[in-house]
Each structure stands twice: as structure tokens, then as C-alpha cells.
């Protein structure tokens, strides 16, 4: 691994241990250039939020992008403060994400303003789609996640799941969020309510409100090259503040929450989506992980 291939901020031990990985710079020039998905340039207000550090493409254990110091310190501080405020004042809105999973989630659909609403903006959607090299639909889903101390290890999954959204497809400047009128996992809805079935296309985990995290504190995200015999040692991505990991959802993007956290572990988790027909054509309907 050469000096040119690592982020400008030193990578943690869990990341540097896999020195044989192919790595290439992926710092998104999209922040400063015109987006392919729209005719307009990225707004200056959006560009000013980023620290413009190098984003890194990694090929093992499966292709993904890792970034440290994503946002400028002032904006990141506002994001962390907003997360803390929501935990303090809206604790009842953090509900179990799913059965047998330790995280509580606050839906991104509830973030219509404030710094965390950036994650539901079309500018953010298009940046992530461009870096991931995916043609996304403009549909988004996700939530703020909170794992209390002592949370158990999760189970490996690949996120190649269907997702249903209400209404017509969003326009090129819009974002469509999931809501209670349509069941996101199965499309359940009242008669006459229009809905569309899509597939998760890109997964993003942004880590925040984990101050002072050190190796041994647990709560990493485990990435697997394969699953089955239980012998593989995963690559562990630490939940360092103002860092992210993102990847295209495919049949082999196996990952999970590594558990064993000695302190709360917080993040924002979100997905972009693509037409189901693209997934069926590329991998086959039998590779879809239906709920």
C-alpha cells in the first residue's frame, strides 16, 4: 500500500491490516464539478460543507468506499449536536429497527430541517449515486441508529432487498422518502394508493456522536468476503466520528454490526434505490433477498 493510496487522515489499525487490498483514490470531484445526473453544477453551499479529504475505494473483502473527516468540523459538530438533541428530546421516536436487532432507529423522513436533513437532499443523493457509479431512482430510506452498550453481534446480510415507495417516481430534482402509507418491505397499502417496487442499490453508513472511540470499544461494522463456514475473519470498520463507508448492494456485500460495544454506538444509515428490473437482469430474481 503506497502513501498515495491512503486517506489524508491516518487509517485505523483495522483498516491498515488488510495491506494487500487494491486501493484507489475516490475523492468525489463531483462536489466541485457538474453532476452527470443533472445539468446543474453542485451548489456552492453544498460544496462548502465538505472537508475535501480523499475518499478511498477498496476492493476487499468486497468493493466499498471509505472516508474520514467527511464534513468540515463546524458542520459535523452541528450534526452531532442535533443527534444528541434528538436522543434527549425525542427518545420515544427511536424505535426498534427490526426484530432480533439491537438498534433503535429514528426515521430520516422525520428530518425535514436541521443539519441532518442533508441526508435527505437531492444533492446528497446524487453525490452518493455518482461515487457508487449507480443509476439511482431518487427514492431514499434510512434512519439514525443507536446501539446501546453491550449490544450483541448481528448477522451477515447483503442488503439486496426490495423497497416500496409511494406515488410516482421522483423528478430529477426531487427525493422520495418512504412513509407510513406504503409498507416499505412488502408494498402493503390501502386500496387506491399508488406504489412502486424498487431495490436497494447503495448502502451508506455515516458514523457520528461516538466521541473518543478507541480500538477495543467495539461496535464496528464487519465486512465479509464470504459466509458459510464461520472461519473468515471480517474486516472491521471502526465507528469513528465524521467517517463513512458506502457500497453498492450486490449478492456478495455481506456485512453486519459487530456488537460488543462498551459505549453507545451511533450512526446514520441510508439506502439509495434502483429499478428492480436492473437487479433481475444483472443477478437474477433468485438472488434477491426478499423480506
Amino acid at each position: 500500500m503506497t502513501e498515495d493510496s491512503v486517506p489524508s487522515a491516518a487509517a485505523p489499525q483495522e483498516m491498515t491490516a488488510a495491506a494487500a487490498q487494491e486501493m484507489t483514490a475516490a475523492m468525489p470531484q463531483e462536489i466541485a464539478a457538474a453532476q452527470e445526473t443533472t445539468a446543474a453544477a453542485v451548489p456552492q453551499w453544498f460544496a462548502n460543507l465538505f472537508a475535501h479529504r480523499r475518499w478511498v475505494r477498496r476492493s476487499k473483502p468486497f468493493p466499498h468506499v471509505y472516508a474520514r473527516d467527511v464534513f468540515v468540523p463546524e458542520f459535523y459538530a452541528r450534526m452531532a449536536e442535533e443527534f444528541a438533541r434528538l436522543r434527549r428530546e425525542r427518545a420515544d421516536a427511536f424505535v426498534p429497527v427490526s426484530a432480533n436487532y439491537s438498534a433503535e432507529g429514528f426515521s430520516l423522513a422525520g428530518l425535514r430541517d436541521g443539519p441532518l436533513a442533508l441526508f435527505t437532499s437531492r444533492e446528497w443523493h446524487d453525490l452518493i449515486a455518482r461515487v457508487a457509479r449507480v443509476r439511482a431512482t431518487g427514492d431514499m430510506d434510512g434512519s439514525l441508529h443507536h446501539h446501546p452498550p453491550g449490544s450483541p453481534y448481528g448477522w451477515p446480510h447483503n442488503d439486496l432487498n426490495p423497497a416500496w415507495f409511494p406515488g410516482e417516481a421522483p423528478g430529477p430534482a426531487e427525493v422520495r422518502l418512504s412513509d407510513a402509507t406504503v409498507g416499505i418491505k412488502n408494498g402493503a397499502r390501502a386500496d387506491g394508493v399508488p406504489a412502486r417496487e424498487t431495490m436497494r442499490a447503495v448502502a451508506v453508513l455515516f458514523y457520528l456522536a461516538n466521541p473518543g472511540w478507541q480500538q477495543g470499544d467495539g461496535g464496528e461494522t464487519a465486512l465479509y468476503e464470504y459466509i458459510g463456514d464461520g472461519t473468515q475473519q471480517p474486516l472491521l470498520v471502526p465507528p469513528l466520528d465524521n467517517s463513512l463507508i458506502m457500497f453498492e448492494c450486490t449478492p456478495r456485500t455481506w456485512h453486519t454490526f459487530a456488537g460488543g460495544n462498551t459505549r453507545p454506538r451511533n450512526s446514520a444509515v441510508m439506502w439509495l434505490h434502483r429499478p428492480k428490473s436492473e437487479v433481475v437482469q444483472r443477478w437474477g430474481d433468485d438472488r434477491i433477498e426478499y423480506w
Side-chain angles (χ1 to χ4, degrees):
M1 187 185 303
T2 66
E3 185 69 22
D4 291 340
S5 64
V6 298
S8 53
Q13 181 63 36
E14 288 86 345
M15 305 299 286
T16 59
Q21 295 184 30
E22 173 190 356
M23 301 178 66
T24 58
M27 176 59 199
Q29 289 90 356
E30 297 83 350
I31 294 174
Q35 301 181 67
E36 292 177 355
T37 50
T38 69
V42 173
Q44 192 61 45
W45 67 263
F46 185 67
N48 290 343
L49 300 179
F50 291 84
H52 296 275
R53 300 300 182 92
R54 185 176 302 165
W55 293 23
V56 176
R57 295 192 191 278
R58 303 172 64 92
S59 62
K60 300 289 184 179
F62 56 78
H64 62 278
V65 172
Y66 176 72
R68 291 276 303 275
D69 301 318
V70 175
F71 298 106
V72 295
E74 298 81 3
F75 186 68
Y76 169 73
R78 290 178 56 204
M79 300 174 93
E81 289 168 3
E82 178 68 359
F83 187 99
R85 185 190 70 80
L86 292 171
R87 285 292 305 161
R88 184 175 62 252
E89 300 178 7
R90 301 285 307 280
D92 58 334
F94 283 79
V95 298
V97 172
S98 62
N100 302 317
Y101 188 58
S102 60
E104 300 172 344
F106 184 108
S107 174
L108 292 185
L111 303 174
R112 296 297 184 176
D113 53 24
L116 294 174
L118 178 75
F119 293 137
T120 63
S121 70
R122 186 70 195 210
E123 290 81 6
W124 176 257
H125 171 281
D126 288 350
L127 171 64
I128 296 302
R130 186 175 167 94
V131 173
R133 301 166 180 167
V134 165
R135 185 175 68 90
T137 61
D139 300 294
M140 294 188 69
D141 180 49
S143 58
L144 305 176
H145 280 197
H146 171 78
H147 290 268
S151 293
Y153 209 97
W155 61 91
H157 52 286
N158 60 19
D159 279 1
L160 193 62
N161 310 116
W164 290 79
F165 289 88
E168 301 295 327
E174 299 175 317
V175 166
R176 180 85 69 244
L177 302 176
S178 59
D179 65 31
T181 66
V182 176
I184 190 165
K185 294 183 177 181
N186 56 19
R189 58 196 184 275
D191 292 343
V193 176
R196 296 166 293 110
E197 186 179 20
T198 68
M199 291 292 303
R200 286 179 173 176
V202 184
V204 183
L205 288 85
F206 177 76
Y207 304 103
L208 78 167
N210 304 303
W213 187 94
Q214 297 181 3
Q215 188 173 353
D217 288 343
E220 298 95 336
T221 300
L223 309 183
Y224 293 85
E225 185 172 4
Y226 59 87
I227 58 173
D229 59 10
T231 62
Q232 184 194 175
Q233 292 298 314
L235 176 68
L236 297 178
V237 180
L240 296 171
D241 281 350
N242 202 13
S243 70
L244 69 72
I245 180 174
M246 56 175 285
F247 50 86
E248 181 182 11
C249 301
T250 79
R252 58 178 295 259
T253 49
W254 300 108
H255 64 284
T256 193
F257 172 65
N261 50 313
T262 60
R263 59 175 68 188
R265 193 274 224 169
N266 302 309
S267 62
V269 181
M270 65 209 81
W271 294 270
L272 275 59
H273 297 79
R274 64 183 0 148
K276 183 179 180 180
S277 59
E278 292 185 6
V279 172
V280 173
Q281 181 178 15
R282 186 172 174 185
W283 295 296
D285 186 81
D286 60 326
R287 304 303 297 275
I288 295 174
E289 297 289 335
Y290 289 98
W291 301 101

